[in-house]
Amino acid sequence: MKEVLLDTETTGLSSVNDKIIEIACIEIDDHIPTGKKFHVFLNPEMEISQGAYETHGISKEFLVDKPKFKNISVDFLKFIGQKKLVIHNAEFDLAFLNKELKECGGHLIAKDQVIDTLNIAREKFPGAQNSLDALCKRF
C-alpha cells in the first residue's frame, strides 16, 4: 500500500493569516521508501514570525526567489494523488494546505485521506509528551 509521509513549515501558527513556506513528502510502499520525493520551498510574500523562524530557521530572504504555492499546486496534488497521507499533527498541516489549495482552485484534501501520527501517539502514550522531538527521544 503506497502512502505519503508529509510535513510542512509555515510563516506562523495561524492557518488564516500565515502561509506555507516548505512542503516535504516521501512516498512509501508497505513502509519502504520508493525513492519518490516531493520537496519545495515556497515564497510566501509575507514576513515570517520570529517564533516560526526560531523553529525552522528559514528566512524570508532565502525564500524570495522560490515559487509561490499556486505555481506548484498541480504537481503537489499529482504527487499525493489519492494515497493516504501520514502527517504528525495533521490538523495543523491540513488547515494550511487546504487554505492554499482553495485559494488557487485546487481540490481540497479530505480528512479521511490522512493518518495522524499525533493521534496514534496520544492513544499509545496517554498523558505523555508526543511531539516529534519527544517521540524521537523515546524511540
Side-chain angles (χ1 to χ4, degrees), residues 7-50:
D7 192 27
T8 64
E9 297 298 342
T10 64
T11 60
L13 297 175
S14 170
S15 62
V16 174
N17 299 315
D18 290 304
K19 294 188 161 225
I20 297 171
I21 58 172
E22 182 181 20
I23 302 172
C25 301
I26 298 172
E27 182 186 74
I28 59 173
D29 190 359
D30 290 326
H31 305 282
I32 307 293
T34 65
K36 294 181 181 177
K37 299 175 184 177
F38 181 91
H39 179 255
V40 64
F41 288 104
L42 300 166
N43 181 348
E45 298 182 293
M46 65 181 298
E47 295 298 320
I48 296 170
S49 75
Q50 185 63 33

Side-chain angles (χ1 to χ4, degrees), residues 11-95:
T11 60
L13 297 175
S14 170
S15 62
V16 174
N17 299 315
D18 290 304
K19 294 188 161 225
I20 297 171
I21 58 172
E22 182 181 20
I23 302 172
C25 301
I26 298 172
E27 182 186 74
I28 59 173
D29 190 359
D30 290 326
H31 305 282
I32 307 293
T34 65
K36 294 181 181 177
K37 299 175 184 177
F38 181 91
H39 179 255
V40 64
F41 288 104
L42 300 166
N43 181 348
E45 298 182 293
M46 65 181 298
E47 295 298 320
I48 296 170
S49 75
Q50 185 63 33
Y53 177 77
E54 289 171 6
T55 298
H56 51 60
I58 302 169
S59 70
K60 181 180 178 186
E61 294 75 27
F62 173 74
L63 300 171
V64 75
D65 64 342
K66 306 302 185 260
K68 292 159 189 65
F69 185 89
K70 67 182 178 184
N71 300 118
I72 60 90
S73 63
V74 171
D75 290 337
F76 170 69
L77 288 171
K78 184 177 176 182
F79 182 83
I80 65 171
Q82 295 302 310
K83 299 174 200 103
K84 284 285 186 183
L85 305 177
V86 180
I87 306 171
H88 195 76
N89 193 12
E91 189 175 317
F92 179 85
D93 295 87
L94 274 184

Side-chain angles (χ1 to χ4, degrees), residues 90-130:
E91 189 175 317
F92 179 85
D93 295 87
L94 274 184
F96 279 89
L97 287 165
N98 281 336
K99 180 193 99 172
E100 299 263 17
L101 288 166
K102 184 177 181 181
E103 287 176 0
C104 67
H107 80 271
L108 305 185
I109 300 166
K111 287 184 181 182
D112 65 357
Q113 188 178 347
V114 175
I115 298 168
D116 190 340
T117 57
L118 178 58
N119 291 339
I120 294 168
R122 285 177 174 160
E123 288 174 17
K124 189 160 179 73
F125 307 106
Q129 288 287 335
N130 289 306

